[in-house]
Amino acid sequence: MPYPTQTNWSLILMIVVKLTKDIMDRAKKKAASVGILPGSITGGLSNVVGAIGEVIVGDVLDAEHVNTIHYDLVKNGNRIDVKTKRCNTKPFPNYDCSVAAHGSSQDCDTYVFVRVKIDMTRAWILGGISKGRFLQQATRYSKGDVDPSNGFVFRADCYNIPISKLEDIHVKETSQMYAV
């Protein structure tokens, strides 16, 4: 199984993953089994994108897939919820990562954030942060608020934190690293 390369941008290590047929097949199968989640902002349309995030983070961390309503993966007892967004371009450290306000009640230990390019060719594992630290450092927005940094109008209450405040993800050792 191929694993990602690591790119250092402004002191944060983002992991770039080429989305292979194997990754996409596993993500589609996972998404089909989920249905529409309670509180889904897109009504289930983003299930495949979310599943891609879960698959690639599970792969690079060699974590157990558990798929509870509260978290997606477990690694050494750490309960990880993967949050994935679609994007048009590679992410930069000033871009935000989000957790819907209703999602902040999930019983997890860590959030890991992922971006998936809309054309489904690659993804970026941006980093992780403990849930407690996230809630302390994130900015809360209400539905209808406008993000002053980019003009985005929030469709739901949520918390945002810049990528630059995330911690690096440490991937398992492998000789199958490749350039994307």
Side-chain angles (χ1 to χ4, degrees), residues 135-156:
L135 292 173
Q136 289 173 350
Q137 295 184 10
T139 302
R140 190 177 199 291
Y141 291 95
S142 296
K143 180 178 181 177
D145 285 351
V146 177
D147 186 329
S149 69
N150 59 22
F152 177 78
V153 178
F154 291 90
R155 295 179 286 181

Side-chain angles (χ1 to χ4, degrees), residues 16-127:
V16 185
V17 180
K18 179 180 178 186
L19 298 181
T20 64
K21 181 179 181 333
D22 173 63
I23 290 169
M24 294 303 296
D25 288 347
R26 289 187 290 141
K28 288 175 184 174
K29 182 177 179 182
K30 180 185 265 293
S33 71
V34 172
I36 298 175
L37 297 174
S40 172
I41 294 172
T42 64
L45 296 176
S46 296
N47 285 2
V48 172
V49 174
I52 290 168
E54 293 171 21
V55 166
I56 65 175
V57 172
D59 285 355
V60 300
L61 294 179
D62 197 23
E64 176 188 0
H65 291 263
V66 292
N67 298 321
T68 73
I69 195 160
H70 294 283
Y71 50 92
D72 307 305
L73 307 167
V74 175
K75 176 68 177 184
N76 298 329
N78 185 27
R79 300 167 303 162
I80 303 164
D81 195 47
V82 180
K83 301 295 186 185
T84 307
K85 284 184 181 180
R86 292 174 288 167
C87 62
N88 291 315
T89 63
K90 71 179 180 181
F92 290 95
N94 62 311
Y95 289 12
D96 285 325
C97 297
S98 303
V99 173
H102 66 48
S104 67
S105 65
Q106 291 173 293
D107 187 18
C108 63
D109 302 310
T110 302
Y111 293 122
V112 173
F113 296 93
V114 175
R115 293 280 178 107
V116 173
K117 195 163 182 200
I118 286 176
D119 68 6
M120 305 288 195
T121 58
R122 56 183 90 283
W124 294 264
I125 301 174
L126 307 172

